Amino acid sequence: RVRTLPQEVETIAYIDIGSIKEKRITQYKEVTRTTAPGRAQQLLRAGDVIVSTVRPNLNTLALVEDCEFKFPLVASTGFCVLRATEKVLPKFLYHWLQEDDVVRRLSIMAEAKASYPAVTDSEVFSLSLPLPPLFEQEQIVEELERKLSRLEKMEGNFRTMAETAAQASRSVLTGTFCSLDAPIFKLSELENMGRIQLGRGRIISRRDLLEKPGNYPVYSSAATGEGLFGKYGEYMFDDTRITWSIDGGGRFFLRKGGERYSVTNVCGWIKVL
């Protein structure tokens, strides 16, 4: 970690968490030595892998593939910087850090802290890396990138189809409800009238899931995968409710009666009475 930049450096390209999109460095902040944040302390070079130590469950990381920026590239101390030796390919390290078990282990470390969901550099360094010979690493990276490229194309096609379907669905819903000649009520008013009941879930962490395993689904703020967060040994509801994301996801889901399930504190719910 470089805590003092060379005296001749007046301007830097500063990288923080917001600079990473889809596991790539997509932007940087041009700042001077005097205006740079105190966290701007890690001078990067090509081949470095930077991993966010804050909320590791989000798996925010990037490979520094090119340092031909206009100014020296400097990362926030919110990243752990991993610099491969001659025995490790940077791309091998980059892909391995995205593996589910790695993310799970870092998430458990972070959630064990009551104050803030983050890990230290030392905790990242404590991970065990399977290390085949370089020629095998090259083959693995080549095969991974070939498959990932194909999946990205498929994902793009599916995304286009999904957006088209979503637009058509919204058009049908808007046309139907906007044409209704009926009284309009706020949800809070319907609750006061005894027509519906409103509420939200409770805190269920990944650590809770590990300590009390089971098969009852837990839904959280994700907009994908039906909002599934994990499986748990207890359940909160077994009736029909509408749930939605309070934080982040922004989608509504119909949870049908007969299924036993729970929702976390970042989910709201509506029950028709």
Side-chain angles (χ1 to χ4, degrees):
R1 181 175 292 176
V2 178
R3 296 191 179 277
T4 304
L5 292 172
Q7 287 297 322
E8 65 273 14
V9 175
E10 290 296 332
T11 306
I12 63 170
Y14 175 58
I15 303 296
D16 60 11
I17 305 299
S19 303
I20 310 298
K21 302 293 182 185
E22 298 183 354
K23 299 185 173 31
R24 293 181 176 87
I25 298 173
T26 59
Q27 60 186 7
Y28 63 86
K29 298 175 183 177
E30 184 179 317
V31 295
T32 65
R33 176 189 291 275
T34 55
T35 61
R39 295 171 67 85
Q41 297 182 9
Q42 306 193 96
L43 189 63
L44 302 178
R45 69 186 188 193
D48 287 348
V49 181
I50 56 175
V51 186
S52 173
T53 54
V54 178
R55 300 191 186 280
N57 59 300
L58 300 180
N59 198 219
T60 304
L61 77 160
L63 171 64
V64 183
E65 296 190 78
D66 185 1
C67 273
E68 293 181 1
F69 291 85
K70 185 177 179 181
F71 306 107
L73 194 63
V74 177
S76 162
T77 54
F79 291 106
C80 175
V81 179
L82 299 174
R83 185 163 293 170
T85 67
E86 66 278 359
K87 294 183 179 180
V88 186
L89 290 179
K91 284 190 175 182
F92 181 82
L93 183 61
Y94 166 72
H95 288 301
W96 171 75
L97 285 163
Q98 299 175 53
E99 199 269 324
D100 282 348
D101 187 56
V102 173
V103 179
R104 181 186 62 81
R105 283 184 282 166
L106 288 175
S107 298
I108 291 172
M109 292 177 191
E111 287 166 3
K113 301 177 175 67
S115 57
Y116 194 66
V119 293
T120 64
D121 285 5
S122 296
E123 287 172 322
V124 177
F125 298 153
S126 72
L127 297 173
S128 298
L129 167 70
L131 193 62
L134 278 175
F135 75 92
E136 287 188 23
Q137 293 181 43
E138 292 172 352
Q139 293 174 345
I140 291 169
V141 168
E142 182 179 346
E143 180 68 10
L144 274 174
E145 295 194 339
R146 183 180 65 81
K147 290 181 177 179
L148 290 172
S149 176
R150 189 167 62 201
L151 288 171
E152 283 179 4
K153 291 179 182 178
M154 292 174 59
E155 184 180 8
N157 293 334
F158 286 136
R159 188 181 299 115
T160 300
M161 293 171 61
E163 288 173 355
T164 301
Q167 289 173 1
S169 176
R170 286 193 295 270
S171 178
V172 170
L173 291 170
T174 300
T176 299
F177 288 103
C178 287
S179 64
L180 292 176
D181 183 15
I184 298 176
F185 297 93
K186 295 180 180 180
L187 291 179
S188 58
E189 293 174 330
L190 291 176
E191 184 177 35
N192 291 334
M193 294 165 61
R195 301 288 185 85
I196 65 171
Q197 184 180 0
L198 298 171
R200 65 187 298 168
R202 63 180 177 85
I203 296 174
I204 303 176
S205 69
R206 291 191 181 275
R207 186 171 183 176
D208 292 329
L209 302 185
L210 292 173
E211 292 179 349
K212 190 171 289 187
N215 293 317
Y216 300 122
V218 177
Y219 299 110
S220 189
S221 62
T224 58
E226 295 298 309
L228 185 65
F229 174 65
K231 299 292 183 71
Y232 195 35
E234 296 180 350
Y235 67 91
M236 295 168 58
F237 309 119
D238 60 2
D239 54 9
T240 299
R241 296 173 191 242
I242 297 170
T243 70
W244 75 92
S245 165
I246 295 173
D247 299 333
R251 281 191 58 187
F252 289 82
F253 298 96
L254 176 63
R255 312 297 180 192
K256 296 183 179 179
E259 176 190 22
R260 294 176 173 179
Y261 61 95
S262 297
V263 294
T264 71
N265 61 307
V266 293
C267 273
W269 55 260
I270 305 174
K271 180 181 178 180
V272 178
L273 301 175

